[in-house]
């Protein structure tokens, strides 16, 4: 018997496409946004502009950049603006096309072209665990990503792609972890970790939602990026209400961590918390400074403005002396 000859026409499978199992992203966006009232009285907090794009567009762009081409938004009442933003706007598009304004036309069309975007409503804006459970039917039995829209990861970072890649190699679920000062750990889910033998990846041995500084097992905070095994749904179904009387995603992950199937990707890059007023302002300033079209002029103004503040401070001190 001769050697089997493989005809050269056999298509070579693209390892990236065939091996990839994480294709869907879930973006919980049903929260009331009370920290930004009155701006969020009639506008969803996810639609607040960061320079000239709504915060949630950065999140969907991040998912698309990591190869996730199906995005499910978990929304609620008063969130119609999010649906409209990721849809076509025919009148506007026609008006811009008639004027030949291709730059703005692209800006209007881009959100709808980022991914296949779906929306379901959470009903009552209950907890994060409940929001994730709402995605069960859409997600099915494949691993999926969850991106919290208050956390904005700088567009130049590749955190989510790394997390997807870790899931594909190691199975289980993956959380993004960031070291925070001890006085901030009570604002986050906190992970107990062990080395994994791989640079930048840890084994998560336990998780606790918003512990006091004294009870925190580490300084590793869970930031709002997860790649979850679909087994999380069965666990969430029976997860009892935890901190604040809410079904916590962290508690479901704690159960998985006890079984040794949760990994942490340690992130030390640029992350902004757009759910916090001061950090929201910092985000806008930083991203504006980085923009090629706005940055040079805005940075020059900012330097002058800061120098003015410093002079005013020195003047106040002189007068008070
Ligand atoms: C949620 C999670 C928490 C996580 C945080 C990240 O809390 O429950 O575990 O650390 O997001 O931003 P929230 O900020 O919605 O209260």
């Amino acid at each position: 018997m001769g050697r089997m000859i493989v005809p050269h026409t056999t298509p070579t499978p693209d390892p990236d496409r065939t091996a990839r199992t994480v294709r869907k992203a879930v973006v919980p966006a049903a929260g009331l946004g009370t920290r930004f009232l009155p701006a969020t009285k009639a506008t969803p907090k996810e639609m607040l502009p960061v320079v000239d794009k709504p915060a949630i567009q950065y999140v969907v762009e991040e998912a698309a950049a990591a190869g996730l081409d199906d995005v499910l938004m978990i929304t609620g009442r008063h969130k119609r603006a999010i649906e409209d933003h990721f849809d076509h706007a025919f009148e506007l598009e026609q008006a811009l096309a008639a004027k030949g304004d291709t730059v703005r036309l692209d800006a209007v069309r881009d959100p709808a072209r980022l991914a296949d975007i779906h929306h379901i409503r959470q009903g009552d804006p209950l907890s994060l665990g409940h929001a994730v459970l709402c995605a069960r039917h859409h997600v099915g039995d494949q691993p999926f990503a969850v991106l919290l829209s208050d956390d904005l990861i700088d567009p130049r970072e590749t955190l989510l792609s790394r997390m997807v890649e870790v899931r594909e190699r190691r199975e289980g679920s993956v959380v993004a972890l960031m070291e925070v000062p001890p006085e901030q750990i009570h604002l986050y889910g906190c992970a107990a970790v062990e080395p994994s033998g791989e640079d930048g990846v840890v084994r998560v041995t336990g998780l606790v939602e918003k512990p006091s500084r004294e009870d925190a097992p580490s300084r590793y905070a869970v930031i709002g990026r997860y790649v979850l095994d679909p087994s999380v749904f069965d666990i969430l179904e029976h997860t009892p209400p935890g901190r604040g009387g809410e079904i916590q995603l962290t508690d479901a992950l704690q159960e998985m961590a006890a079984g040794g199937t949760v990994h942490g990707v340690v992130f030390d890059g640029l992350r902004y918390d757009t759910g916090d007023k001061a950090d929201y302002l910092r985000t806008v300033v930083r991203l504006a400074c980085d923009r090629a079209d706005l940055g040079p002029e805005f940075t020059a103004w900012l330097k002058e403005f800061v120098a003015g503040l410093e002079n005013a401070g020195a003047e106040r001190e002189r007068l008070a002396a």
Side-chain angles (χ1 to χ4, degrees):
M1 288 254 309
R3 266 192 316 137
M4 198 170 85
I5 311 280
V6 179
H8 74 276
T9 49
T10 303
T12 326
D14 172 355
D16 211 40
R17 276 202 79 77
T18 48
R20 283 279 304 268
T21 57
V22 188
R23 302 229 66 99
K24 292 183 180 171
V26 173
V27 180
L32 295 175
T34 49
R35 279 193 278 180
F36 277 83
L37 282 169
T40 48
K41 184 179 173 192
T43 302
K45 65 171 174 163
E46 296 80 7
M47 290 299 294
L48 294 179
V50 176
V51 189
D52 52 7
K53 281 190 285 192
I56 198 162
Q57 186 173 335
Y58 290 86
V59 172
V60 175
E61 285 172 353
E62 182 191 342
L68 310 178
D69 50 19
D70 181 300
V71 176
L72 176 69
M73 308 268 182
I74 315 288
T75 66
R77 284 160 58 78
H78 311 306
K79 300 282 182 169
R80 273 263 319 271
I82 299 178
E83 292 178 27
D84 289 344
H85 184 72
F86 290 100
D87 194 1
H88 293 287
F90 290 109
E91 273 182 15
L92 192 53
E93 288 177 30
Q94 266 173 9
L96 291 167
K99 278 204 265 177
D101 191 342
T102 51
V103 173
R104 291 198 176 93
L105 186 58
D106 272 343
V108 167
R109 285 181 173 162
D110 279 347
R113 296 193 284 220
L114 285 170
D116 195 359
I117 298 179
H118 309 264
H119 306 265
I120 57 165
R121 287 185 173 210
Q122 192 177 354
D124 285 336
L126 297 173
S127 59
L128 176 58
H130 177 258
V132 171
L133 205 43
C134 290
R136 180 172 207 161
H137 183 69
H138 182 88
V139 164
D141 60 1
Q142 294 292 312
F144 62 105
V146 174
L147 293 87
L148 305 190
S149 51
D150 279 351
D151 286 274
L152 209 148
I153 305 295
D154 192 281
R156 290 161 293 191
E157 304 285 358
T158 55
L159 170 65
L160 192 60
S161 303
R162 275 168 52 211
M163 294 172 72
V164 168
E165 187 263 324
V166 167
R167 153 71 208 199
E168 302 296 6
R169 267 191 298 113
R170 292 177 173 252
E171 300 279 307
S173 296
V174 186
V175 294
L177 298 175
M178 196 160 186
E179 272 197 81
V180 299
E183 62 275 15
Q184 287 179 17
I185 200 72
H186 70 281
L187 301 169
Y188 298 95
C190 176
V193 302
E194 281 177 0
S196 73
E198 185 182 337
D199 222 21
V201 180
V202 289
R203 241 167 46 79
V204 175
T205 56
L207 283 147
V208 45
E209 179 68 4
K210 303 197 174 103
S212 66
R213 180 181 177 156
E214 296 70 40
D215 294 337
S218 76
R219 286 171 54 176
Y220 283 113
V222 176
I223 55 171
R225 296 295 179 271
Y226 309 80
V227 176
L228 300 176
D229 189 80
S231 57
V232 75
F233 293 126
D234 279 343
I235 297 174
L236 279 169
E237 292 275 12
H238 69 245
T239 299
R243 202 181 161 82
E246 297 185 337
I247 299 167
Q248 297 290 350
L249 179 59
T250 305
D251 293 343
L253 281 162
Q254 156 61 22
E255 195 171 322
M256 296 166 113
T261 58
V262 180
H263 321 286
V265 167
V266 179
F267 181 65
D268 60 1
L270 295 170
R271 164 200 175 249
Y272 316 104
D273 178 1
T274 52
D276 173 81
K277 266 184 243 184
D279 219 2
Y280 168 79
L281 293 173
R282 283 183 210 113
T283 309
V284 175
V285 171
R286 289 180 80 147
L287 293 181
C289 287
D290 286 340
R291 283 266 295 254
D293 55 345
L294 285 169
E297 198 190 324
F298 182 64
T299 309
W301 171 83
L302 194 58
K303 280 183 188 157
E304 265 181 45
F305 178 68
V306 171
L309 288 180
E310 278 163 7
N311 291 342
E315 183 64 10
R316 263 199 309 276
E317 273 168 33
R318 191 183 65 78
L319 290 172

